[in-house]
Amino acid sequence: MQWPLWDRAVRVIHWYLPLAIAFMWWSGEEGLYDWHSWVGYSLLVAVGTRVCWGIIGSQSARFAAFLASPSAVVAYLRGRPYQGEGHNPLGGWATVILLLVIFLQGLSGLFVTDDVMFEGPLMFWGGEWSGVFAEWHELNWLVLQVLIVLHLVALTYHQLYRKEPLIGAMWWGKTKSRFSLSKPKNTGLALVIALIIAGLLFLLITLVPQAPSYY
Ligand code: HEM
Ligand code: HEM
């Protein structure tokens, strides 16, 4: 049986990333920090859910299925063809790095202020470190932009030069030549995970001590 290579949870989370990150860019530049923070929280939930899904999700979504050894990555870079069904050895590590950098962007955002109207919910907790987090938020954003460009360049190379239907598989779940042999897990489970993470994040940002108000 040919099952989707990328289950619904992986695809919804994936396509949410470019949409939300484009919004974060625009809202960050425009100074719309209320919207910026809410969509930022949703990105933290999306990345958190994807990480949990990488441990208990469908077979091809699991880190164990696509995180190759350094020697396999080197061999792949030297031209050894990849025969597996999901991410190739380099793509597997690129996935983890992209998720990590998005997470660090969201995490640092929780501690920063725009020095005018907006304070991240954990700013008071960060204390004197708020300035460091702000620099991190700015620097990490540059790293994320570079990674996104590399991601798009790699995809274009595979899709157009090597004629591998990667984009179709990420959009439809599978294509004629890219599919999984194991049945995906129920999307409902991913939804429950997302709700639990959202609940925990909500508790964190509402229960931490806030700066005393002088008004
Ligand atoms: C902000 C922009 C983007 C980010 C942060 C991003 C991030 C990611 C991540 C984390 C993965 C791993 C998926 C997983 O296993 O969960 C991935 C895979 C993928 N992305 Fe993106 N992505 C972005 C934009 C795009 C765009 C615009 C396209 C298509 C034109 C695209 C096409 C793909 C494809 C086809 C894969 C699967 C690669 C494979 O088969 O190994 N991505 N992306
Ligand atoms: C992955 C999620 C995030 C992305 C991609 C992102 C992206 C950005 C970008 C592009 C800027 C403008 C940077 C600049 O012009 O120097 C910015 C600034 C800012 N972001 Fe985020 N952000 C994220 C999460 C968050 C979160 C969760 C919060 C708060 C809850 C937040 C709060 C802020 C604040 C306060 C600024 C202004 C900082 C300053 O004026 O120095 N961000 N962010």
Side-chain angles (χ1 to χ4, degrees):
M1 180 89 188
Q2 297 181 356
W3 297 100
L5 177 60
W6 306 124
D7 60 38
R8 229 178 258 134
V10 168
R11 283 180 285 147
V12 168
I13 292 172
H14 177 268
W15 292 113
Y16 184 62
L17 297 179
L19 281 180
I21 290 174
F23 180 84
M24 295 308 282
W25 188 1
W26 174 75
S27 55
E29 295 295 337
E30 293 293 317
L32 302 170
Y33 294 118
D34 275 335
W35 286 97
H36 187 83
S37 55
W38 284 107
V39 177
Y41 303 149
S42 75
L43 272 166
L44 282 172
V45 172
V47 170
T49 307
R50 177 63 185 95
V51 169
C52 294
W53 206 237
I55 299 163
I56 60 165
S58 310
Q59 184 55 30
S60 46
R62 293 195 185 192
F63 297 125
F66 61 74
L67 286 187
S69 65
S71 58
V73 177
V74 172
Y76 176 76
L77 285 171
R78 286 194 175 146
R80 189 209 282 169
Y82 175 65
Q83 311 288 359
E85 58 181 34
H87 296 306
N88 65 46
L90 192 60
W93 284 104
T95 297
V96 173
I97 293 170
L98 270 164
L99 293 174
L100 179 70
V101 173
I102 298 169
F103 174 75
L104 291 179
Q105 186 70 16
L107 183 71
S108 57
L110 300 179
F111 294 87
V112 299
T113 167
D114 67 345
D115 292 325
V116 191
M117 298 290 283
F118 180 87
E119 288 178 353
L122 306 189
M123 197 205 101
F124 185 56
W125 226 22
E128 295 160 10
W129 288 84
S130 179
V132 176
F133 282 112
E135 274 173 36
W136 176 8
H137 201 65
E138 207 176 321
L139 223 108
N140 195 68
W141 169 238
L142 293 180
V143 176
L144 183 53
Q145 281 175 302
V146 170
L147 289 177
I148 291 171
V149 170
L150 286 177
H151 179 55
L152 298 179
V153 169
L155 281 171
T156 311
Y157 166 74
H158 281 278
Q159 184 83 27
L160 299 181
Y161 183 72
R162 295 188 49 173
K163 307 269 183 255
E164 294 164 3
L166 300 194
I167 300 176
M170 189 45 97
W171 185 259
W172 302 109
K174 62 177 178 175
T175 62
K176 269 189 196 147
S177 57
R178 276 174 74 80
F179 52 83
S180 172
L181 294 173
S182 41
K183 191 177 174 196
K185 287 251 173 100
N186 193 327
T187 317
L189 178 61
L191 206 64
V192 171
I193 295 172
L195 287 173
I196 292 174
I197 297 177
L200 291 175
L201 184 62
F202 178 78
L203 286 180
L204 176 73
I205 62 184
T206 47
L207 293 184
V208 287
Q210 298 297 313
S213 169
Y214 296 106
Y215 299 104

